Amino acid sequence: TLDSVWLEFAHPKCILILTLAKICGSTLTPILALAVAIIIKRLVLGRFVPGKQAGQWASLQSWLLHWMLNGGGLVREVSSLFGAHFQATSWIYRALGAKIGERIYWPGTGIAFYEFDLLEVGDDVVFGSRSRIICRSDDTCKPVKIGAGAMLADHCMLLPGSSLGRNCMLGSGTIGPEDWTFAPGSTWVGSQHGRPLQLPPVAGSQQLKPFGRAFHKREANYFVWPLSFHVLFNFCWAPLADSGEKQIYLLILLAVAKTGRFIPAEHFLEYLFFVALSVHVLHAMAWMGFDLATEQLIIGTRVPGRYNWDESSYCQRWLLRRIFQKSSRGVISCMRGTPLLCSWFRACGAHIGRGVCLYPTGTDLMMTEPGLVSIGDGSCIDKCSLVAHSNANGNMELRRMGVGSMVVARSGTRLMSGASMGDDTELMEHTLVLPGDVVPSGESWHGWPAHSRQHRDTTAIEKQ
């Protein structure tokens, strides 16, 4: 019967076995899977070589490696156990065949690329999140080189044969066309007509970044946690961090183990429904409360300013806070598009007006510094990135950003740190507003970076 099956699984020995399985699944399983993928890559698939690719072998190499690494998710999962931003990620990419330098700052989301043998990264390179490197076209493989001290910001894409010079900086969403060479010390952003847009060079750019001085050279004015601390913490936290179905199922089993034997068989289904509903609600409330508590204890109130790795402990505390924040991400994402999400971000310090709709179709990155963001009445923020920090050339800086009333930010848009939007403004799909730029009231912008500007037609809005 149903009650006997649940009571059997609620036995302490079964709960212990399920708990150990969850711990192994969070730690040992991804490491073993990655080790097998590396062995198969080295012994069976072999190296990717530049030049024309005859036949289907190169396609099979890329496809099989993509499948074994779960689209890059396996590398990301393993590196997060050792500290996603640190040298363990370099060790993994070297084992897969890439040429990687020292003191690299890796993104927490990983880099999407699979022709590892064709990638060369110099020392002191800084990576932003969600970028992609492609070393293979339809029938040709070409190496991609990133010079020492260079920076590849978020959402960039490098095509086969592209090369970044020493201390070159690619801003958000920059495309590196095939066989394109970025001059040393130059600065680029976005794309127009398939080509990146060059900006004036950033003054005072150095190869050794604040992260390298603090974490690797130990030249910070505070105690920097060593790699061993990050490894120990991540291995201990990983089994607890999963706020999904496995954790809820174990909690339901614990509740049934304590009270289930006292429930008559004919009422066991109703009892199980009540327990599952209660556990889901309490579980969500506990993680949300934990998220708010860690925000105040670890970060406190954010203040605009520069917080470099070698000058402030903010970056170190921010990484710890992000690890805790991942645990409640699934719960919070369930509230997108509802007034509950606005209430949540108000509790986190954001200034949000009435009738605001946040992320109705989802987003890959919710507000990371809500205390520095203000949104006016009646605005709709779709899959838009509102990030109040910048990491240009490894210099972490926080700036306020404001969104006016009756604003629309469509899917694939980004408002960078220090930018703002006036009332009745609109960002069309795939639009980037650069730091310090202001979208004047009543205008509609488009482009990455924004270059097409026109007056916004609000007739339909006024009629409503």
Side-chain angles (χ1 to χ4, degrees):
T1 59
L2 178 63
D3 58 330
S4 62
V5 172
W6 272 90
L7 290 174
E8 180 67 26
F9 272 98
H11 191 276
K13 184 180 292 186
C14 290
I15 293 178
L16 178 60
I17 293 174
L18 291 172
T19 303
L20 292 176
K22 183 178 185 301
I23 293 174
C24 292
S26 302
T27 54
L28 299 180
T29 300
I31 294 176
L32 292 176
L34 180 60
V36 171
I38 291 173
I39 293 172
I40 294 177
K41 196 269 178 187
R42 285 177 169 269
L43 299 182
V44 179
L45 298 181
R47 296 175 57 84
F48 291 91
V49 294
K52 289 285 185 179
Q53 305 298 308
Q56 299 298 317
W57 176 243
S59 298
L60 178 63
Q61 276 182 303
S62 298
W63 173 82
L64 189 56
L65 200 55
H66 180 277
W67 177 77
M68 289 192 299
L69 297 178
N70 191 25
L74 184 59
V75 174
R76 182 167 59 250
E77 187 176 359
V78 174
S79 63
S80 66
L81 293 173
F82 296 90
H85 302 277
F86 310 126
Q87 57 262 48
T89 304
S90 299
W91 301 340
I92 294 172
Y93 286 139
R94 287 179 190 137
L96 288 166
K99 298 178 182 178
I100 306 296
E102 302 294 336
R103 301 179 298 275
I104 310 295
Y105 184 81
W106 296 101
T109 57
I111 300 291
F113 71 101
Y114 306 102
E115 298 82 14
F116 298 97
D117 306 284
L118 301 177
L119 177 65
E120 181 179 343
V121 181
D123 298 336
D124 302 296
V125 172
V126 176
F127 284 97
S129 60
R130 299 166 182 83
S131 289
R132 184 175 180 83
I133 300 174
I134 301 175
C135 300
R136 182 179 183 274
S137 60
D138 184 37
D139 59 351
T140 305
C141 286
K142 298 179 182 179
V144 171
K145 297 182 180 180
I146 302 176
M151 177 180 175
L152 193 70
D154 63 283
H155 295 91
C156 292
M157 177 176 288
L158 298 182
L159 298 181
S162 56
S163 176
L164 275 69
R166 185 186 185 94
N167 292 334
C168 172
M169 185 174 77
L170 302 190
S172 177
T174 303
I175 185 171
E178 188 170 356
D179 297 322
W180 186 281
T181 299
F182 295 92
S186 58
T187 302
W188 308 74
V189 67
S191 66
Q192 291 184 9
H193 309 293
R195 293 176 176 268
L197 180 67
Q198 187 170 10
L199 300 178
V202 177
S205 178
Q206 300 178 353
Q207 177 179 323
L208 183 61
K209 309 302 182 186
F211 169 75
R213 281 195 294 268
F215 192 83
H216 294 275
K217 298 288 188 179
R218 320 300 295 181
E219 296 177 359
N221 56 11
Y222 63 96
F223 177 71
V224 180
W225 300 326
L227 179 63
S228 56
F229 168 82
H230 292 277
V231 173
L232 179 62
F233 174 81
N234 286 318
F235 267 85
C236 293
W237 178 251
L240 301 174
D242 181 14
S243 61
E245 296 177 357
K246 294 180 181 178
Q247 193 175 88
I248 294 174
Y249 177 62
L250 286 175
L251 291 173
I252 293 175
L253 284 180
L254 288 172
V256 172
K258 293 293 184 181
T259 60
R261 62 178 57 91
F262 304 111
I263 305 300
E266 61 270 19
H267 299 297
F268 191 83
L269 186 60
E270 293 90 338
Y271 157 78
L272 191 61
F273 175 79
F274 174 77
V275 169
L277 180 62
S278 301
V279 168
H280 272 81
V281 172
L282 294 175
H283 179 264
M285 293 176 62
W287 274 119
M288 292 173 67
F290 177 79
D291 190 85
L292 287 175
T294 54
E295 170 74 16
Q296 294 301 318
L297 292 174
I298 298 175
I299 300 297
T301 302
R302 289 183 173 87
V303 179
R306 178 166 287 191
Y307 299 90
N308 286 343
W309 265 91
D310 56 344
E311 299 172 350
S312 170
S313 64
Y314 173 82
C315 292
Q316 181 170 259
R317 291 182 285 114
W318 181 60
L319 293 183
L320 181 63
R321 160 70 181 135
R322 284 181 59 199
I323 294 174
F324 288 136
Q325 193 176 29
K326 291 178 182 178
S327 304
S328 59
R329 185 176 299 169
V331 176
I332 297 172
S333 65
C334 293
M335 300 185 294
R336 63 178 188 264
T338 71
L340 292 175
L341 188 59
C342 296
S343 300
W344 166 257
F345 280 116
R346 290 189 189 105
C348 293
H351 299 277
I352 300 177
R354 295 176 296 176
V356 173
C357 181
L358 295 176
Y359 314 119
T361 61
T363 181
D364 56 356
L365 183 64
M366 290 190 181
M367 284 181 265
T368 53
E369 297 87 12
L372 299 177
V373 178
S374 63
I375 303 176
D377 297 340
S379 295
C380 179
I381 309 299
D382 199 358
K383 194 176 181 181
C384 172
S385 176
L386 297 178
V387 178
H389 72 265
S390 62
N391 192 28
N393 274 324
N395 297 304
M396 172 65 79
E397 188 172 359
L398 300 181
R399 284 174 283 189
R400 297 190 183 277
M401 55 197 319
V403 177
S405 301
M406 304 304 294
V407 167
V408 174
R410 298 195 181 189
S411 180
T413 56
R414 183 175 186 196
L415 200 66
M416 296 191 71
S417 173
S420 61
M421 299 177 65
D423 297 339
D424 296 311
T425 54
E426 182 179 27
L427 298 184
M428 304 299 287
E429 288 82 355
H430 196 67
T431 297
L432 171 69
V433 182
L434 294 173
D437 283 356
V438 178
V439 183
S441 297
E443 287 196 5
S444 176
W445 283 20
H446 181 256
W448 197 288
H451 59 274
S452 176
R453 308 176 183 184
Q454 58 187 9
H455 182 72
R456 184 188 180 195
D457 184 7
T458 59
T459 305
I461 300 176
E462 293 172 353
K463 289 180 178 179
Q464 293 177 1

